[in-house]
Amino acid sequence: MLKNIIELINKRIVLFESFEQIFIFGSILQNNTKPKDIDILLLYSSYSKKLFFELKKIKHEFYSFQGTPFHFIALSLEEEIETSFLHRLNSTKLKIK
């Protein structure tokens, strides 16, 4: 499942143009369980209307995969530093972009 999700994102990578980095995290990375959702972290450098509309389109196009819903979190690079989001994930993350 994870490999297919990565391929799906890479095929539609143009939708993620405004985002500096993309990470998959959460239960999808645990091989022995069926994930309840697919957690994706999107990091951007500055907010814009273009980014807002890209995120809206991403959420529409990536609603679910094989019945498992996507859950997107979009943070600025500054917000990520302030919250230590990536640090709190420890090694349970996979960088896509």
Side-chain angles (χ1 to χ4, degrees), residues 4-87:
N4 293 338
I5 292 166
I6 294 168
E7 288 175 4
L8 182 64
I9 290 171
N10 284 327
K11 284 180 185 176
R12 305 288 291 154
I13 200 70
V14 71
L15 292 174
F16 299 87
E17 185 177 299
S18 294
F19 296 94
E20 305 291 323
Q21 297 177 49
I22 304 169
F23 292 89
I24 295 176
F25 66 98
S27 60
I28 187 72
L29 298 178
Q30 298 171 354
N31 292 330
N32 56 350
T33 62
K34 180 179 177 356
K36 60 182 177 210
D37 62 3
I38 302 162
D39 296 303
I40 309 286
L41 173 64
L42 305 171
L43 298 177
Y44 59 91
S45 57
S46 62
Y47 189 80
S48 66
K49 280 188 175 185
K50 179 182 176 188
L51 182 135
F52 173 80
F53 287 113
E54 281 183 9
L55 183 56
K56 192 174 181 176
K57 185 166 182 149
I58 288 167
K59 287 181 176 182
H60 177 73
E61 297 221 6
F62 289 86
Y63 180 73
S64 72
F65 181 80
Q66 296 178 352
T68 304
F70 278 89
H71 177 228
F72 290 95
I73 297 175
L75 297 174
S76 70
L77 295 171
E78 188 176 293
E79 289 171 324
E80 190 286 315
I81 291 168
E82 289 172 4
T83 62
S84 300
F85 194 93
L86 288 172
H87 179 73

Coordinates of all heavy atoms in Angstrom, one line a residue, residues 4-87:
N4 N 2.4 2.1 -3.4 CA 1.4 2.6 -4.3 C 1.0 4.1 -4.0 O 0.8 4.9 -4.9 CB 0.1 1.8 -4.2 CG 0.3 0.4 -4.8 OD1 1.2 0.1 -5.5 ND2 -0.5 -0.5 -4.3
I5 N 1.0 4.5 -2.7 CA 0.7 5.8 -2.3 C 1.8 6.8 -2.8 O 1.6 7.8 -3.3 CB 0.5 5.9 -0.8 CG1 -0.8 5.2 -0.5 CG2 0.4 7.4 -0.4 CD1 -1.0 4.9 1.0
I6 N 3.1 6.3 -2.6 CA 4.2 7.1 -3.0 C 4.2 7.3 -4.5 O 4.4 8.4 -5.0 CB 5.5 6.5 -2.6 CG1 5.6 6.5 -1.0 CG2 6.7 7.1 -3.2 CD1 6.8 5.6 -0.5
E7 N 3.9 6.3 -5.3 CA 3.8 6.4 -6.7 C 2.7 7.3 -7.1 O 2.8 8.1 -8.1 CB 3.6 5.0 -7.3 CG 4.8 4.1 -7.3 CD 4.5 2.7 -7.8 OE1 3.3 2.4 -8.3 OE2 5.4 1.8 -7.7
L8 N 1.6 7.3 -6.4 CA 0.4 8.1 -6.7 C 0.8 9.6 -6.5 O 0.5 10.5 -7.4 CB -0.8 7.7 -5.8 CG -2.1 8.5 -6.0 CD1 -2.6 8.3 -7.4 CD2 -3.1 8.1 -5.0
I9 N 1.5 9.9 -5.4 CA 1.9 11.3 -5.1 C 2.9 11.7 -6.2 O 2.8 12.8 -6.7 CB 2.5 11.4 -3.7 CG1 1.4 11.2 -2.7 CG2 3.2 12.7 -3.5 CD1 1.8 11.1 -1.3
N10 N 3.9 10.9 -6.5 CA 4.9 11.2 -7.5 C 4.3 11.5 -8.9 O 4.7 12.3 -9.6 CB 6.0 10.2 -7.6 CG 6.9 10.3 -6.4 OD1 7.2 11.4 -5.9 ND2 7.4 9.2 -5.9
K11 N 3.2 10.7 -9.2 CA 2.6 10.9 -10.5 C 1.9 12.3 -10.6 O 1.7 12.9 -11.6 CB 1.6 9.8 -10.8 CG 2.2 8.5 -11.2 CD 1.1 7.5 -11.5 CE 1.7 6.1 -11.8 NZ 0.8 5.1 -12.0
R12 N 1.4 12.8 -9.4 CA 0.7 14.0 -9.3 C 1.5 15.1 -8.7 O 1.0 16.1 -8.1 CB -0.6 13.8 -8.6 CG -1.5 12.7 -9.2 CD -2.2 13.0 -10.4 NE -3.1 14.0 -10.2 CZ -3.6 14.9 -11.1 NH1 -3.1 14.9 -12.3 NH2 -4.4 15.8 -10.7
I13 N 2.8 15.0 -8.7 CA 3.7 15.9 -8.0 C 3.5 17.4 -8.4 O 3.8 18.3 -7.5 CB 5.2 15.5 -8.1 CG1 6.1 16.1 -7.0 CG2 5.7 15.8 -9.5 CD1 5.8 15.5 -5.7
V14 N 3.0 17.6 -9.6 CA 2.8 19.0 -10.0 C 1.8 19.7 -9.1 O 1.9 20.9 -8.9 CB 2.4 19.1 -11.5 CG1 1.0 18.5 -11.7 CG2 2.5 20.5 -12.0
L15 N 0.9 19.0 -8.5 CA -0.1 19.5 -7.6 C 0.6 20.1 -6.3 O 0.0 21.0 -5.6 CB -1.1 18.5 -7.1 CG -2.1 18.0 -8.2 CD1 -3.0 16.9 -7.6 CD2 -3.0 19.1 -8.7
F16 N 1.8 19.6 -6.0 CA 2.4 19.9 -4.8 C 3.5 21.0 -5.0 O 4.4 21.1 -4.2 CB 3.1 18.7 -4.1 CG 2.1 17.6 -3.8 CD1 1.6 16.7 -4.7 CD2 1.5 17.6 -2.5 CE1 0.7 15.7 -4.4 CE2 0.6 16.6 -2.2 CZ 0.2 15.7 -3.1
E17 N 3.4 21.7 -6.1 CA 4.4 22.7 -6.5 C 4.8 23.7 -5.4 O 5.9 24.1 -5.2 CB 4.0 23.4 -7.8 CG 5.0 24.3 -8.3 CD 4.5 24.9 -9.6 OE1 4.2 24.2 -10.6 OE2 4.3 26.2 -9.7
S18 N 3.8 24.2 -4.7 CA 4.0 25.2 -3.7 C 4.6 24.7 -2.3 O 4.9 25.5 -1.5 CB 2.7 25.9 -3.3 OG 2.2 26.7 -4.5
F19 N 4.8 23.4 -2.2 CA 5.2 22.8 -1.0 C 6.7 22.4 -1.1 O 7.1 21.8 -2.1 CB 4.4 21.6 -0.6 CG 3.0 22.0 -0.3 CD1 2.0 22.0 -1.3 CD2 2.6 22.5 1.0 CE1 0.7 22.4 -1.0 CE2 1.3 23.0 1.2 CZ 0.4 22.9 0.2
E20 N 7.5 22.9 -0.1 CA 8.9 22.6 -0.1 C 9.2 21.1 0.2 O 10.1 20.6 -0.4 CB 9.6 23.5 0.9 CG 9.4 24.9 0.8 CD 10.0 25.5 -0.4 OE1 11.1 25.1 -0.7 OE2 9.4 26.4 -1.0
Q21 N 8.5 20.6 1.1 CA 8.7 19.2 1.5 C 7.4 18.5 1.8 O 6.4 19.1 2.1 CB 9.5 19.2 2.8 CG 10.9 19.8 2.7 CD 11.6 19.8 4.0 OE1 11.7 18.8 4.7 NE2 12.2 21.0 4.4
I22 N 7.4 17.2 1.5 CA 6.3 16.3 1.8 C 6.8 15.1 2.6 O 7.8 14.4 2.2 CB 5.7 15.8 0.4 CG1 5.3 16.9 -0.5 CG2 4.5 14.9 0.7 CD1 5.0 16.5 -1.9
F23 N 6.1 14.8 3.6 CA 6.4 13.6 4.5 C 5.1 12.7 4.6 O 4.0 13.3 4.8 CB 6.8 14.0 5.9 CG 8.2 14.7 5.9 CD1 8.2 16.1 5.8 CD2 9.3 14.0 6.1 CE1 9.5 16.7 5.8 CE2 10.6 14.6 6.1 CZ 10.6 16.0 6.0
I24 N 5.3 11.4 4.6 CA 4.3 10.5 5.1 C 4.7 10.1 6.5 O 5.8 9.8 6.8 CB 4.2 9.3 4.1 CG1 3.8 9.7 2.7 CG2 3.3 8.2 4.7 CD1 3.8 8.5 1.7
F25 N 3.7 10.0 7.4 CA 3.9 9.6 8.7 C 2.7 8.8 9.3 O 1.7 8.7 8.6 CB 4.3 10.8 9.6 CG 3.2 11.7 9.8 CD1 2.4 11.7 11.0 CD2 2.9 12.7 8.9 CE1 1.4 12.6 11.2 CE2 1.8 13.6 9.1 CZ 1.1 13.6 10.3
G26 N 2.9 8.3 10.5 CA 1.8 7.6 11.1 C 1.7 6.2 10.9 O 2.6 5.5 10.5
S27 N 0.5 5.6 11.1 CA 0.2 4.2 11.1 C 0.5 3.5 9.7 O 0.7 2.3 9.6 CB -1.2 3.9 11.5 OG -2.1 4.5 10.7
I28 N 0.5 4.3 8.6 CA 0.7 3.8 7.3 C 2.2 3.2 7.2 O 2.4 2.3 6.4 CB 0.5 4.8 6.2 CG1 0.6 4.2 4.8 CG2 1.5 6.0 6.3 CD1 -0.5 3.4 4.4
L29 N 3.1 3.7 8.1 CA 4.4 3.2 8.1 C 4.7 1.9 8.9 O 5.7 1.4 8.9 CB 5.4 4.3 8.5 CG 5.4 5.6 7.7 CD1 6.3 6.6 8.3 CD2 5.8 5.2 6.2
Q30 N 3.6 1.5 9.6 CA 3.7 0.3 10.4 C 3.2 -0.9 9.5 O 2.0 -0.9 9.2 CB 2.9 0.4 11.7 CG 3.4 1.5 12.6 CD 2.5 1.8 13.7 OE1 1.4 1.2 13.8 NE2 3.0 2.6 14.6
N31 N 4.1 -1.8 9.1 CA 3.7 -2.8 8.2 C 2.7 -3.8 8.7 O 2.0 -4.5 7.9 CB 5.0 -3.6 7.8 CG 5.9 -2.8 6.9 OD1 5.5 -1.9 6.2 ND2 7.2 -3.0 7.1
N32 N 2.6 -4.0 10.0 CA 1.7 -5.0 10.6 C 0.3 -4.6 10.8 O -0.5 -5.4 11.3 CB 2.4 -5.6 11.8 CG 2.6 -4.5 12.9 OD1 2.5 -3.3 12.6 ND2 3.0 -4.9 14.1
T33 N -0.1 -3.4 10.5 CA -1.4 -2.9 10.8 C -2.1 -2.2 9.6 O -1.3 -1.7 8.8 CB -1.5 -1.9 12.0 OG1 -0.7 -0.7 11.6 CG2 -0.9 -2.5 13.3
K34 N -3.4 -2.3 9.5 CA -4.1 -1.5 8.5 C -4.3 -0.1 9.0 O -4.8 0.1 10.1 CB -5.4 -2.2 8.2 CG -6.1 -1.4 7.1 CD -7.5 -2.0 6.7 CE -8.3 -1.3 5.7 NZ -7.9 0.0 5.2
P35 N -3.8 0.9 8.3 CA -3.9 2.2 8.8 C -5.3 2.7 8.8 O -6.1 2.3 7.9 CB -3.1 3.0 7.8 CG -3.1 2.2 6.5 CD -3.1 0.8 6.9
K36 N -5.7 3.6 9.7 CA -7.0 4.1 9.8 C -7.1 5.4 8.9 O -8.1 5.8 8.4 CB -7.4 4.5 11.2 CG -6.5 5.5 11.9 CD -6.9 5.7 13.3 CE -5.9 6.7 13.9 NZ -5.7 6.5 15.3
D37 N -5.9 6.0 8.6 CA -5.8 7.1 7.6 C -4.4 7.1 7.1 O -3.5 6.4 7.5 CB -6.3 8.4 8.2 CG -5.4 8.9 9.4 OD1 -4.4 8.2 9.7 OD2 -5.7 9.9 10.0
I38 N -4.2 8.0 6.1 CA -2.9 8.2 5.5 C -2.5 9.6 5.8 O -3.0 10.6 5.3 CB -2.9 8.0 4.0 CG1 -3.5 6.6 3.7 CG2 -1.6 8.2 3.3 CD1 -4.0 6.4 2.3
D39 N -1.5 9.7 6.7 CA -1.1 11.1 7.2 C 0.0 11.6 6.3 O 1.0 11.0 6.1 CB -0.6 11.0 8.7 CG -1.6 10.5 9.6 OD1 -2.7 11.3 9.7 OD2 -1.5 9.5 10.3
I40 N -0.2 12.8 5.9 CA 0.7 13.5 5.0 C 1.0 14.9 5.6 O 0.1 15.7 5.8 CB 0.2 13.7 3.5 CG1 -0.4 12.4 3.0 CG2 1.2 14.4 2.6 CD1 0.7 11.4 2.5
L41 N 2.3 15.2 5.8 CA 2.7 16.6 6.2 C 3.2 17.3 5.0 O 4.1 16.8 4.3 CB 3.8 16.4 7.3 CG 4.4 17.7 7.7 CD1 3.4 18.7 8.4 CD2 5.6 17.5 8.6
L42 N 2.7 18.5 4.8 CA 3.1 19.4 3.7 C 3.8 20.6 4.3 O 3.1 21.3 5.1 CB 1.9 19.8 2.8 CG 1.1 18.6 2.3 CD1 -0.2 19.2 1.6 CD2 1.9 17.8 1.3
L43 N 5.0 20.9 3.9 CA 5.7 22.1 4.5 C 5.9 23.1 3.4 O 6.3 22.8 2.3 CB 7.0 21.7 5.1 CG 7.0 20.7 6.2 CD1 8.4 20.4 6.7 CD2 6.2 21.3 7.4
Y44 N 5.6 24.4 3.7 CA 5.7 25.5 2.7 C 6.5 26.6 3.3 O 6.6 26.8 4.5 CB 4.3 25.9 2.2 CG 3.5 26.5 3.4 CD1 3.5 27.8 3.7 CD2 2.6 25.6 4.0 CE1 2.7 28.3 4.7 CE2 1.8 26.1 5.1 CZ 1.8 27.4 5.4 OH 1.0 27.9 6.4
S45 N 7.1 27.4 2.4 CA 7.9 28.5 2.9 C 7.1 29.8 3.2 O 7.3 30.5 4.1 CB 9.1 28.8 2.0 OG 8.6 29.1 0.7
S46 N 6.1 30.1 2.3 CA 5.3 31.2 2.5 C 3.9 31.0 2.0 O 3.7 30.3 1.0 CB 5.9 32.5 1.9 OG 6.0 32.3 0.5
Y47 N 2.9 31.5 2.7 CA 1.5 31.3 2.4 C 1.1 32.2 1.2 O 1.5 33.3 1.2 CB 0.6 31.5 3.6 CG -0.8 31.1 3.4 CD1 -1.2 29.8 3.5 CD2 -1.8 32.1 3.0 CE1 -2.5 29.4 3.2 CE2 -3.1 31.7 2.8 CZ -3.4 30.3 2.9 OH -4.7 30.0 2.6
S48 N 0.3 31.7 0.4 CA -0.2 32.4 -0.8 C -1.6 31.9 -1.2 O -2.0 30.8 -0.8 CB 0.7 32.4 -2.0 OG 0.8 31.1 -2.5
K49 N -2.3 32.7 -2.0 CA -3.6 32.2 -2.5 C -3.3 30.9 -3.4 O -4.1 30.0 -3.4 CB -4.3 33.3 -3.4 CG -5.0 34.3 -2.6 CD -5.8 35.2 -3.5 CE -6.6 36.1 -2.6 NZ -7.5 37.0 -3.4
K50 N -2.2 30.9 -4.1 CA -1.9 29.8 -5.0 C -1.8 28.5 -4.1 O -2.3 27.5 -4.5 CB -0.6 30.0 -5.8 CG -0.2 28.9 -6.6 CD 1.1 29.1 -7.3 CE 1.5 27.9 -8.1 NZ 2.8 28.0 -8.7
L51 N -1.1 28.6 -3.0 CA -0.9 27.5 -2.1 C -2.3 27.1 -1.6 O -2.5 25.9 -1.5 CB 0.0 27.9 -0.9 CG 0.3 26.8 0.0 CD1 1.8 26.8 0.4 CD2 -0.5 27.0 1.3
F52 N -3.1 28.0 -1.2 CA -4.4 27.7 -0.7 C -5.2 26.9 -1.7 O -5.8 25.8 -1.3 CB -5.2 29.0 -0.3 CG -6.6 28.7 0.0 CD1 -7.0 28.3 1.3 CD2 -7.6 29.0 -0.9 CE1 -8.3 28.1 1.7 CE2 -9.0 28.7 -0.6 CZ -9.3 28.3 0.7
F53 N -5.2 27.3 -2.9 CA -6.0 26.6 -4.0 C -5.3 25.2 -4.3 O -6.0 24.3 -4.6 CB -6.2 27.4 -5.2 CG -7.1 28.5 -5.0 CD1 -6.7 29.9 -5.0 CD2 -8.5 28.3 -4.8 CE1 -7.7 30.9 -4.8 CE2 -9.4 29.3 -4.5 CZ -9.0 30.6 -4.5
E54 N -4.0 25.1 -4.3 CA -3.3 23.9 -4.5 C -3.7 22.9 -3.4 O -4.0 21.7 -3.7 CB -1.8 24.0 -4.5 CG -1.3 24.6 -5.8 CD 0.2 24.7 -5.9 OE1 0.9 24.2 -5.0 OE2 0.7 25.3 -6.9
L55 N -3.7 23.3 -2.1 CA -4.1 22.4 -1.0 C -5.5 22.0 -1.2 O -5.8 20.8 -0.9 CB -3.9 23.2 0.3 CG -4.1 22.3 1.6 CD1 -3.3 21.0 1.6 CD2 -3.9 23.2 2.8
K56 N -6.4 22.9 -1.6 CA -7.8 22.5 -1.8 C -7.9 21.4 -2.9 O -8.7 20.4 -2.7 CB -8.6 23.8 -2.1 CG -10.1 23.6 -2.1 CD -10.8 24.9 -2.3 CE -12.3 24.8 -2.3 NZ -13.0 26.0 -2.4
K57 N -7.2 21.6 -3.9 CA -7.2 20.6 -5.0 C -6.6 19.3 -4.6 O -7.1 18.2 -4.9 CB -6.5 21.2 -6.3 CG -6.6 20.3 -7.4 CD -6.2 20.9 -8.7 CE -6.4 20.0 -9.9 NZ -6.7 20.6 -11.1
I58 N -5.5 19.3 -3.9 CA -4.9 18.1 -3.3 C -5.9 17.3 -2.5 O -6.0 16.1 -2.6 CB -3.6 18.5 -2.5 CG1 -2.5 19.0 -3.5 CG2 -3.1 17.3 -1.7 CD1 -1.3 19.6 -2.8
K59 N -6.5 18.0 -1.6 CA -7.5 17.4 -0.7 C -8.6 16.7 -1.5 O -9.2 15.7 -1.1 CB -8.0 18.4 0.4 CG -7.0 18.7 1.4 CD -7.6 19.6 2.5 CE -6.6 19.9 3.6 NZ -7.1 20.8 4.6
H60 N -9.0 17.4 -2.6 CA -10.1 16.8 -3.4 C -9.6 15.6 -4.1 O -10.3 14.6 -4.2 CB -10.6 17.9 -4.4 CG -11.6 17.4 -5.3 ND1 -12.9 17.1 -4.9 CD2 -11.6 17.1 -6.6 CE1 -13.6 16.7 -6.0 NE2 -12.8 16.7 -7.0
E61 N -8.4 15.7 -4.7 CA -7.9 14.6 -5.6 C -7.4 13.4 -4.7 O -7.5 12.3 -5.2 CB -6.8 15.1 -6.5 CG -7.3 16.1 -7.5 CD -6.8 16.0 -8.8 OE1 -6.1 15.0 -9.1 OE2 -7.1 16.9 -9.6
F62 N -7.0 13.7 -3.5 CA -6.4 12.6 -2.7 C -7.4 12.5 -1.5 O -7.0 12.6 -0.3 CB -5.0 13.0 -2.2 CG -4.0 12.9 -3.2 CD1 -3.7 14.0 -4.0 CD2 -3.2 11.8 -3.4 CE1 -2.7 14.0 -5.0 CE2 -2.2 11.7 -4.4 CZ -2.0 12.8 -5.2
Y63 N -8.6 12.2 -1.8 CA -9.6 12.0 -0.7 C -9.4 10.7 0.0 O -9.4 10.7 1.3 CB -11.0 12.0 -1.3 CG -12.1 11.9 -0.3 CD1 -12.4 12.9 0.5 CD2 -12.8 10.7 -0.2 CE1 -13.4 12.7 1.5 CE2 -13.8 10.5 0.7 CZ -14.1 11.5 1.5 OH -15.1 11.4 2.5
S64 N -9.2 9.6 -0.7 CA -8.9 8.3 0.0 C -8.2 7.4 -1.0 O -8.2 7.7 -2.2 CB -10.2 7.7 0.4 OG -11.0 7.2 -0.7
F65 N -7.6 6.4 -0.5 CA -6.9 5.4 -1.3 C -7.3 4.0 -0.8 O -7.2 3.7 0.4 CB -5.4 5.5 -1.1 CG -4.6 4.5 -2.0 CD1 -4.4 4.8 -3.3 CD2 -4.1 3.4 -1.4 CE1 -3.7 3.9 -4.1 CE2 -3.4 2.5 -2.1 CZ -3.2 2.7 -3.5
Q66 N -8.0 3.3 -1.7 CA -8.5 1.9 -1.3 C -9.3 2.0 -0.1 O -9.2 1.1 0.8 CB -7.4 0.9 -1.2 CG -6.6 0.7 -2.5 CD -5.4 -0.3 -2.4 OE1 -5.1 -0.7 -1.3 NE2 -4.9 -0.6 -3.5
G67 N -10.1 3.0 0.1 CA -11.0 3.1 1.2 C -10.4 3.8 2.5 O -11.1 4.0 3.5
T68 N -9.1 4.1 2.4 CA -8.4 4.7 3.5 C -8.3 6.2 3.3 O -7.7 6.6 2.3 CB -7.0 4.1 3.7 OG1 -7.2 2.7 3.9 CG2 -6.4 4.6 5.0
P69 N -8.9 7.0 4.2 CA -8.8 8.5 3.9 C -7.4 9.1 4.1 O -6.6 8.6 4.9 CB -9.8 9.0 5.0 CG -9.8 8.0 6.1 CD -9.5 6.7 5.4
F70 N -7.2 10.1 3.4 CA -6.0 10.9 3.5 C -6.2 12.0 4.6 O -7.3 12.5 4.7 CB -5.6 11.6 2.2 CG -4.8 10.8 1.3 CD1 -5.5 10.0 0.3 CD2 -3.5 10.7 1.3 CE1 -4.9 9.2 -0.6 CE2 -2.8 10.0 0.3 CZ -3.5 9.2 -0.6
H71 N -5.2 12.3 5.4 CA -5.2 13.4 6.4 C -4.0 14.2 6.1 O -2.9 13.8 6.3 CB -5.2 12.8 7.8 CG -5.2 13.8 8.8 ND1 -4.3 13.8 9.9 CD2 -5.9 14.9 9.0 CE1 -4.5 14.8 10.7 NE2 -5.5 15.5 10.1
F72 N -4.3 15.5 5.7 CA -3.2 16.4 5.3 C -3.0 17.4 6.4 O -4.0 18.0 7.0 CB -3.5 17.1 4.0 CG -3.4 16.3 2.8 CD1 -4.6 15.7 2.3 CD2 -2.2 16.0 2.2 CE1 -4.5 14.9 1.2 CE2 -2.1 15.2 1.1 CZ -3.3 14.6 0.6
I73 N -1.7 17.7 6.8 CA -1.4 18.8 7.7 C -0.4 19.7 6.9 O 0.6 19.2 6.4 CB -0.7 18.2 9.0 CG1 -1.7 17.4 9.7 CG2 -0.2 19.4 9.8 CD1 -1.1 16.7 10.9
A74 N -0.8 20.9 6.8 CA 0.1 21.9 6.1 C 0.6 22.9 7.1 O -0.2 23.5 7.8 CB -0.7 22.6 5.0
L75 N 1.9 23.0 7.2 CA 2.6 23.9 8.1 C 3.6 24.7 7.3 O 4.3 24.2 6.4 CB 3.3 23.1 9.2 CG 2.5 22.3 10.2 CD1 3.5 21.5 11.1 CD2 1.6 23.1 11.0
S76 N 3.8 25.9 7.8 CA 4.9 26.7 7.2 C 6.2 26.1 7.8 O 6.2 25.4 8.9 CB 4.8 28.2 7.6 OG 5.0 28.4 9.0
L77 N 7.3 26.4 7.2 CA 8.6 25.9 7.8 C 8.8 26.5 9.2 O 9.3 25.8 10.0 CB 9.8 26.3 6.8 CG 9.7 25.6 5.4 CD1 10.8 26.3 4.5 CD2 9.9 24.1 5.6
E78 N 8.4 27.7 9.4 CA 8.5 28.4 10.7 C 7.7 27.7 11.7 O 8.1 27.4 12.8 CB 8.1 29.8 10.5 CG 8.4 30.7 11.8 CD 8.0 32.1 11.5 OE1 8.7 32.8 10.8 OE2 7.0 32.6 12.2
E79 N 6.4 27.3 11.3 CA 5.5 26.6 12.3 C 6.1 25.3 12.6 O 6.0 24.8 13.8 CB 4.1 26.5 11.6 CG 3.3 27.7 11.5 CD 2.1 27.6 10.7 OE1 2.1 26.8 9.7 OE2 1.1 28.2 11.1
E80 N 6.7 24.6 11.6 CA 7.3 23.3 11.9 C 8.4 23.4 13.0 O 8.5 22.6 13.9 CB 7.8 22.6 10.6 CG 8.2 21.2 10.8 CD 9.5 21.0 11.5 OE1 10.5 21.7 11.3 OE2 9.5 20.1 12.4
I81 N 9.2 24.4 12.8 CA 10.3 24.6 13.8 C 9.7 24.9 15.2 O 10.2 24.4 16.2 CB 11.3 25.7 13.3 CG1 12.0 25.3 12.1 CG2 12.2 26.2 14.4 CD1 12.8 26.4 11.3
E82 N 8.7 25.8 15.2 CA 8.1 26.2 16.5 C 7.5 25.1 17.2 O 7.5 25.0 18.4 CB 7.1 27.3 16.3 CG 7.7 28.7 15.9 CD 6.6 29.7 15.5 OE1 5.4 29.4 15.6 OE2 7.0 30.8 15.1
T83 N 6.9 24.2 16.5 CA 6.2 23.0 17.1 C 7.0 21.8 17.2 O 6.6 20.8 17.8 CB 4.9 22.7 16.3 OG1 5.3 22.3 15.0 CG2 3.9 23.9 16.2
S84 N 8.2 21.8 16.6 CA 9.1 20.6 16.5 C 8.3 19.4 16.0 O 8.5 18.2 16.5 CB 9.6 20.3 17.9 OG 10.4 21.4 18.4
F85 N 7.4 19.6 15.0 CA 6.6 18.5 14.5 C 7.4 17.3 14.0 O 7.1 16.2 14.4 CB 5.7 19.0 13.4 CG 4.5 18.1 13.1 CD1 3.3 18.3 13.7 CD2 4.7 17.1 12.1 CE1 2.3 17.4 13.4 CE2 3.6 16.2 11.9 CZ 2.4 16.4 12.5
L86 N 8.4 17.6 13.2 CA 9.2 16.4 12.6 C 10.0 15.8 13.7 O 10.1 14.5 13.7 CB 10.1 16.9 11.5 CG 9.4 17.3 10.2 CD1 10.4 18.0 9.2 CD2 8.8 16.1 9.6
H87 N 10.5 16.5 14.6 CA 11.3 16.0 15.7 C 10.4 15.0 16.6 O 10.9 14.0 17.0 CB 11.9 17.1 16.6 CG 12.7 16.6 17.7 ND1 13.9 16.0 17.6 CD2 12.4 16.5 19.0 CE1 14.4 15.6 18.8 NE2 13.5 15.9 19.7

